Amino acid sequence: MAKIIVVTSGKGGVGKTTTSAAIGTGLALRGYKTVIVDFDVGLRNLDLIMGCERRVVYDFVNVINGDSNLNQTLIKDKRSDNLFILPASQTRDKDALTPEGVERVLNELKETFDYIVCDSPAGIEKGAHLAMYFADEAVVVTNPEVSSVRDSDRMLGLLASKSKHAEAGEKIKEHLLLTRYNPERVENGEMLSVSDVEDILSIPLLGVIPESQAVLKASNQGVPVIMDDKSDAGQAYADAVERLLGKDMPHRFLELQKKGLLQRLFGGR
């Protein structure tokens, strides 16, 4: 049975779309038929990160309005036969998404896909609410700084009270994904530690994504960073996907790497 996963946060710029792209790609590479749905009407970015922006003809709102069907609108990823993208509209406002329309499209996607990854817009307005309302699981993305964590805590409150599962007396399975983590800055007291964030949010840790230039490079190239298996960030996202699928994986990239003697002598990084 298809599973709907929402990637959400209260604050913008924490890496939701990067995470949606990485998780969706990771699931597809592991053999699961996956679609990533962009709920950010008016500010679509998922197609850029997935490198398919020139292939967008129809969008999510067109499907809801009956202007196109899913077969016409879904974009097949160039790297995986199991991965598809449903882009958002750049020309409509947030009210173009309706609960009835979103539910109808998700139910149709459920007939074909194993996983539906919903890339939520930031904030708590209509698009964000609809992205999480039908979810079975939630990946709550946060940076290790107070305002981001506080906003994520607000989203946990909404997930627990304003989702379809909550209305039925059920609980959405929640996962914490900590992005842009820098152990050196944590050690210097400039950033919250993993345990600090876990203490505040009290949900299971899915992964810690280190601060990395590989994320920006991958975004600019239109390639999900999980495809860069040489980078710390790519490896961390791959580990997170394995945990999402139930595998017990040790967390990496949490500690400050001590420089060896030669690095200290010659200033290597």
Side-chain angles (χ1 to χ4, degrees):
M1 185 173 169
K3 191 172 284 186
I4 300 175
I5 300 172
V6 64
V7 178
T8 187
S9 76
K11 196 171 175 15
V14 298
K16 282 187 300 297
T17 301
T18 295
T19 296
S20 298
I23 286 176
T25 302
L27 290 168
L29 291 174
R30 283 153 184 78
Y32 297 96
K33 194 166 184 187
T34 304
V35 58
I36 313 173
V37 183
D38 191 347
F39 275 79
D40 203 353
V41 174
L43 290 172
R44 110 180 153 215
N45 282 312
L46 177 65
D47 53 309
L48 287 169
I49 286 180
M50 296 299 297
C52 63
E53 68 278 5
R54 288 186 295 277
R55 292 194 285 147
V56 176
V57 177
Y58 294 111
D59 57 55
F60 194 2
V61 175
N62 290 139
V63 181
I64 287 174
N65 291 342
D67 302 324
S68 65
N69 60 39
L70 279 175
N71 190 52
Q72 293 172 286
T73 310
L74 288 171
I75 300 170
K76 186 173 174 295
D77 184 70
K78 292 174 279 192
R79 294 161 290 257
S80 171
D81 290 340
N82 290 321
L83 185 59
F84 291 78
I85 295 94
L86 181 56
S89 171
Q90 271 187 312
T91 57
R92 312 295 180 100
D93 64 26
K94 307 282 183 192
D95 292 330
L97 298 179
T98 64
E100 300 77 19
V102 169
E103 184 171 29
R104 179 172 49 79
V105 173
L106 291 177
N107 284 339
E108 193 174 340
L109 290 170
K110 279 182 176 182
E111 295 172 12
T112 308
F113 291 93
D114 300 312
Y115 284 96
I116 301 165
V117 179
C118 301
D119 181 24
S120 173
I124 55 173
E125 37 64 20
K126 189 173 183 181
H129 178 249
L130 286 173
M132 72 179 184
Y133 181 75
F134 299 99
D136 303 306
E137 299 190 24
V139 176
V140 179
V141 183
T142 190
N143 292 157
E145 49 103 8
V146 173
S147 65
S148 179
V149 175
R150 182 193 61 197
D151 289 347
S152 292
D153 204 23
R154 174 80 192 279
M155 296 310 296
L156 290 173
L158 293 173
L159 286 163
S161 59
K162 289 197 168 186
S163 63
K164 194 172 184 181
H165 278 290
E167 290 172 358
E170 301 161 353
K171 188 166 170 48
I172 289 177
K173 189 174 183 182
E174 299 158 340
H175 309 274
L176 170 62
L177 190 84
L178 192 55
T179 55
R180 296 188 183 143
Y181 193 74
N182 185 323
E184 186 173 358
R185 292 183 64 192
V186 171
E187 202 168 90
N188 293 337
E190 300 168 10
M191 211 175 243
L192 296 175
S193 69
V194 173
S195 59
D196 290 335
V197 179
E198 286 182 299
D199 287 346
I200 296 166
L201 297 181
S202 299
I203 59 173
L205 183 64
L206 180 69
V208 177
I209 312 301
E211 201 167 42
S212 171
Q213 286 298 312
V215 174
L216 180 61
K217 180 183 173 187
S219 296
N220 287 338
Q221 292 177 340
V223 178
V225 71
I226 198 170
M227 302 292 288
D228 182 2
D229 57 7
K230 299 285 191 295
S231 71
D232 289 356
Q235 292 170 33
Y237 271 118
D239 289 352
V241 171
E242 295 289 358
R243 292 187 200 99
L244 194 64
L245 293 170
K247 193 169 179 182
D248 187 17
M249 300 283 291
H251 287 280
R252 300 188 277 171
F253 317 115
L254 306 189
E255 305 297 329
L256 185 62
Q257 296 297 309
K258 302 297 183 187
K259 291 182 180 180
L261 177 61
L262 289 175
Q263 286 178 304
R264 290 199 301 272
L265 287 174
F266 296 105
R269 292 181 61 82

mmCIF file of all heavy atoms in Angstrom, residues 131-154:
data_model
loop_
_atom_site.group_PDB
_atom_site.id
_atom_site.type_symbol
_atom_site.label_atom_id
_atom_site.label_comp_id
_atom_site.label_asym_id
_atom_site.label_seq_id
_atom_site.Cartn_x
_atom_site.Cartn_y
_atom_site.Cartn_z
ATOM 1 N N ALA A 131 -0.214 19.879 2.362
ATOM 2 C CA ALA A 131 0.900 18.948 2.163
ATOM 3 C C ALA A 131 0.976 17.937 3.290
ATOM 4 O O ALA A 131 1.324 16.772 3.076
ATOM 5 C CB ALA A 131 2.216 19.714 2.053
ATOM 6 N N MET A 132 0.641 18.369 4.524
ATOM 7 C CA MET A 132 0.775 17.456 5.660
ATOM 8 C C MET A 132 -0.535 16.761 6.034
ATOM 9 O O MET A 132 -0.524 15.742 6.717
ATOM 10 C CB MET A 132 1.309 18.203 6.882
ATOM 11 C CG MET A 132 0.330 19.139 7.527
ATOM 12 S SD MET A 132 1.056 19.935 8.976
ATOM 13 C CE MET A 132 -0.371 20.864 9.556
ATOM 14 N N TYR A 133 -1.676 17.296 5.565
ATOM 15 C CA TYR A 133 -2.980 16.809 6.037
ATOM 16 C C TYR A 133 -3.175 15.318 5.751
ATOM 17 O O TYR A 133 -3.713 14.570 6.590
ATOM 18 C CB TYR A 133 -4.107 17.621 5.393
ATOM 19 C CG TYR A 133 -5.477 17.189 5.862
ATOM 20 C CD1 TYR A 133 -5.941 17.525 7.137
ATOM 21 C CD2 TYR A 133 -6.298 16.411 5.045
ATOM 22 C CE1 TYR A 133 -7.187 17.101 7.577
ATOM 23 C CE2 TYR A 133 -7.541 15.987 5.479
ATOM 24 C CZ TYR A 133 -7.977 16.338 6.747
ATOM 25 O OH TYR A 133 -9.204 15.910 7.174
ATOM 26 N N PHE A 134 -2.749 14.854 4.586
ATOM 27 C CA PHE A 134 -2.999 13.467 4.180
ATOM 28 C C PHE A 134 -1.810 12.535 4.470
ATOM 29 O O PHE A 134 -1.839 11.365 4.100
ATOM 30 C CB PHE A 134 -3.327 13.418 2.679
ATOM 31 C CG PHE A 134 -4.564 14.205 2.319
ATOM 32 C CD1 PHE A 134 -4.453 15.491 1.785
ATOM 33 C CD2 PHE A 134 -5.822 13.684 2.536
ATOM 34 C CE1 PHE A 134 -5.587 16.220 1.451
ATOM 35 C CE2 PHE A 134 -6.963 14.411 2.212
ATOM 36 C CZ PHE A 134 -6.857 15.680 1.681
ATOM 37 N N ALA A 135 -0.780 13.042 5.137
ATOM 38 C CA ALA A 135 0.462 12.278 5.315
ATOM 39 C C ALA A 135 0.317 11.123 6.301
ATOM 40 O O ALA A 135 -0.431 11.195 7.276
ATOM 41 C CB ALA A 135 1.583 13.202 5.781
ATOM 42 N N ASP A 136 1.080 10.042 6.023
ATOM 43 C CA ASP A 136 1.205 8.918 6.948
ATOM 44 C C ASP A 136 2.440 9.089 7.836
ATOM 45 O O ASP A 136 2.468 8.623 8.966
ATOM 46 C CB ASP A 136 1.338 7.599 6.167
ATOM 47 C CG ASP A 136 0.167 7.376 5.230
ATOM 48 O OD1 ASP A 136 -0.985 7.414 5.710
ATOM 49 O OD2 ASP A 136 0.399 7.178 4.016
ATOM 50 N N GLU A 137 3.468 9.728 7.266
ATOM 51 C CA GLU A 137 4.705 9.980 8.007
ATOM 52 C C GLU A 137 5.167 11.403 7.701
ATOM 53 O O GLU A 137 4.831 11.959 6.645
ATOM 54 C CB GLU A 137 5.814 8.984 7.623
ATOM 55 C CG GLU A 137 5.461 7.533 7.926
ATOM 56 C CD GLU A 137 6.647 6.594 7.763
ATOM 57 O OE1 GLU A 137 7.810 7.057 7.865
ATOM 58 O OE2 GLU A 137 6.417 5.392 7.540
ATOM 59 N N ALA A 138 5.927 11.975 8.625
ATOM 60 C CA ALA A 138 6.438 13.338 8.434
ATOM 61 C C ALA A 138 7.928 13.378 8.726
ATOM 62 O O ALA A 138 8.387 12.860 9.747
ATOM 63 C CB ALA A 138 5.709 14.317 9.358
ATOM 64 N N VAL A 139 8.676 13.978 7.809
ATOM 65 C CA VAL A 139 10.095 14.279 8.049
ATOM 66 C C VAL A 139 10.161 15.767 8.369
ATOM 67 O O VAL A 139 9.899 16.608 7.500
ATOM 68 C CB VAL A 139 10.957 13.940 6.814
ATOM 69 C CG1 VAL A 139 12.406 14.356 7.051
ATOM 70 C CG2 VAL A 139 10.879 12.447 6.494
ATOM 71 N N VAL A 140 10.458 16.078 9.625
ATOM 72 C CA VAL A 140 10.513 17.470 10.071
ATOM 73 C C VAL A 140 11.956 17.945 9.953
ATOM 74 O O VAL A 140 12.850 17.435 10.636
ATOM 75 C CB VAL A 140 10.005 17.601 11.522
ATOM 76 C CG1 VAL A 140 10.078 19.051 11.987
ATOM 77 C CG2 VAL A 140 8.567 17.095 11.616
ATOM 78 N N VAL A 141 12.181 18.899 9.048
ATOM 79 C CA VAL A 141 13.536 19.374 8.748
ATOM 80 C C VAL A 141 13.815 20.636 9.560
ATOM 81 O O VAL A 141 13.010 21.570 9.570
ATOM 82 C CB VAL A 141 13.687 19.682 7.236
ATOM 83 C CG1 VAL A 141 15.123 20.104 6.917
ATOM 84 C CG2 VAL A 141 13.287 18.469 6.404
ATOM 85 N N THR A 142 14.946 20.662 10.232
ATOM 86 C CA THR A 142 15.303 21.846 11.017
ATOM 87 C C THR A 142 16.805 22.074 10.976
ATOM 88 O O THR A 142 17.587 21.140 10.785
ATOM 89 C CB THR A 142 14.812 21.704 12.477
ATOM 90 O OG1 THR A 142 14.970 22.939 13.158
ATOM 91 C CG2 THR A 142 15.565 20.617 13.231
ATOM 92 N N ASN A 143 17.203 23.332 11.108
ATOM 93 C CA ASN A 143 18.614 23.677 11.304
ATOM 94 C C ASN A 143 18.896 23.718 12.804
ATOM 95 O O ASN A 143 17.972 23.931 13.596
ATOM 96 C CB ASN A 143 18.922 25.051 10.719
ATOM 97 C CG ASN A 143 18.828 25.104 9.199
ATOM 98 O OD1 ASN A 143 18.632 26.157 8.633
ATOM 99 N ND2 ASN A 143 18.954 23.969 8.532
ATOM 100 N N PRO A 144 20.138 23.569 13.222
ATOM 101 C CA PRO A 144 20.459 23.583 14.649
ATOM 102 C C PRO A 144 20.556 24.997 15.227
ATOM 103 O O PRO A 144 21.567 25.397 15.775
ATOM 104 C CB PRO A 144 21.800 22.844 14.715
ATOM 105 C CG PRO A 144 22.411 23.041 13.383
ATOM 106 C CD PRO A 144 21.305 23.189 12.400
ATOM 107 N N GLU A 145 19.486 25.769 15.070
ATOM 108 C CA GLU A 145 19.435 27.095 15.681
ATOM 109 C C GLU A 145 18.014 27.333 16.221
ATOM 110 O O GLU A 145 17.044 26.748 15.739
ATOM 111 C CB GLU A 145 19.881 28.182 14.698
ATOM 112 C CG GLU A 145 19.258 28.143 13.347
ATOM 113 C CD GLU A 145 18.181 29.191 13.171
ATOM 114 O OE1 GLU A 145 18.034 30.049 14.055
ATOM 115 O OE2 GLU A 145 17.472 29.133 12.158
ATOM 116 N N VAL A 146 17.927 28.160 17.242
ATOM 117 C CA VAL A 146 16.735 28.215 18.086
ATOM 118 C C VAL A 146 15.454 28.527 17.312
ATOM 119 O O VAL A 146 14.434 27.861 17.497
ATOM 120 C CB VAL A 146 16.935 29.239 19.234
ATOM 121 C CG1 VAL A 146 15.645 29.443 20.017
ATOM 122 C CG2 VAL A 146 18.036 28.769 20.176
ATOM 123 N N SER A 147 15.474 29.533 16.441
ATOM 124 C CA SER A 147 14.234 29.917 15.758
ATOM 125 C C SER A 147 13.734 28.802 14.845
ATOM 126 O O SER A 147 12.523 28.560 14.732
ATOM 127 C CB SER A 147 14.429 31.216 14.971
ATOM 128 O OG SER A 147 15.366 31.029 13.929
ATOM 129 N N SER A 148 14.652 28.101 14.190
ATOM 130 C CA SER A 148 14.271 27.007 13.305
ATOM 131 C C SER A 148 13.652 25.860 14.099
ATOM 132 O O SER A 148 12.632 25.288 13.699
ATOM 133 C CB SER A 148 15.503 26.506 12.542
ATOM 134 O OG SER A 148 15.169 25.437 11.689
ATOM 135 N N VAL A 149 14.259 25.538 15.237
ATOM 136 C CA VAL A 149 13.745 24.447 16.083
ATOM 137 C C VAL A 149 12.385 24.822 16.661
ATOM 138 O O VAL A 149 11.460 24.004 16.702
ATOM 139 C CB VAL A 149 14.755 24.104 17.198
ATOM 140 C CG1 VAL A 149 14.171 23.057 18.157
ATOM 141 C CG2 VAL A 149 16.059 23.585 16.596
ATOM 142 N N ARG A 150 12.235 26.066 17.075
ATOM 143 C CA ARG A 150 10.950 26.521 17.628
ATOM 144 C C ARG A 150 9.844 26.405 16.578
ATOM 145 O O ARG A 150 8.734 25.947 16.868
ATOM 146 C CB ARG A 150 11.076 27.970 18.100
ATOM 147 C CG ARG A 150 9.785 28.530 18.735
ATOM 148 C CD ARG A 150 9.870 30.024 18.884
ATOM 149 N NE ARG A 150 10.035 30.678 17.584
ATOM 150 C CZ ARG A 150 10.450 31.936 17.444
ATOM 151 N NH1 ARG A 150 10.765 32.665 18.494
ATOM 152 N NH2 ARG A 150 10.567 32.463 16.236
ATOM 153 N N ASP A 151 10.143 26.817 15.350
ATOM 154 C CA ASP A 151 9.150 26.723 14.284
ATOM 155 C C ASP A 151 8.816 25.268 13.952
ATOM 156 O O ASP A 151 7.671 24.944 13.625
ATOM 157 C CB ASP A 151 9.653 27.431 13.020
ATOM 158 C CG ASP A 151 9.683 28.950 13.186
ATOM 159 O OD1 ASP A 151 9.098 29.446 14.167
ATOM 160 O OD2 ASP A 151 10.285 29.630 12.337
ATOM 161 N N SER A 152 9.807 24.390 14.033
ATOM 162 C CA SER A 152 9.548 22.968 13.802
ATOM 163 C C SER A 152 8.661 22.388 14.900
ATOM 164 O O SER A 152 7.817 21.526 14.633
ATOM 165 C CB SER A 152 10.873 22.191 13.742
ATOM 166 O OG SER A 152 11.602 22.554 12.594
ATOM 167 N N ASP A 153 8.840 22.869 16.116
ATOM 168 C CA ASP A 153 7.989 22.429 17.218
ATOM 169 C C ASP A 153 6.532 22.815 16.957
ATOM 170 O O ASP A 153 5.601 22.058 17.259
ATOM 171 C CB ASP A 153 8.481 23.063 18.531
ATOM 172 C CG ASP A 153 8.075 22.251 19.753
ATOM 173 O OD1 ASP A 153 7.818 21.035 19.610
ATOM 174 O OD2 ASP A 153 8.026 22.821 20.852
ATOM 175 N N ARG A 154 6.343 23.988 16.370
ATOM 176 C CA ARG A 154 4.988 24.422 16.003
ATOM 177 C C ARG A 154 4.390 23.470 14.968
ATOM 178 O O ARG A 154 3.212 23.115 15.031
ATOM 179 C CB ARG A 154 5.062 25.848 15.449
ATOM 180 C CG ARG A 154 3.759 26.389 14.896
ATOM 181 C CD ARG A 154 2.846 26.873 16.010
ATOM 182 N NE ARG A 154 1.490 27.137 15.553
ATOM 183 C CZ ARG A 154 1.092 28.248 14.935
ATOM 184 N NH1 ARG A 154 1.959 29.223 14.695
ATOM 185 N NH2 ARG A 154 -0.166 28.396 14.589
#
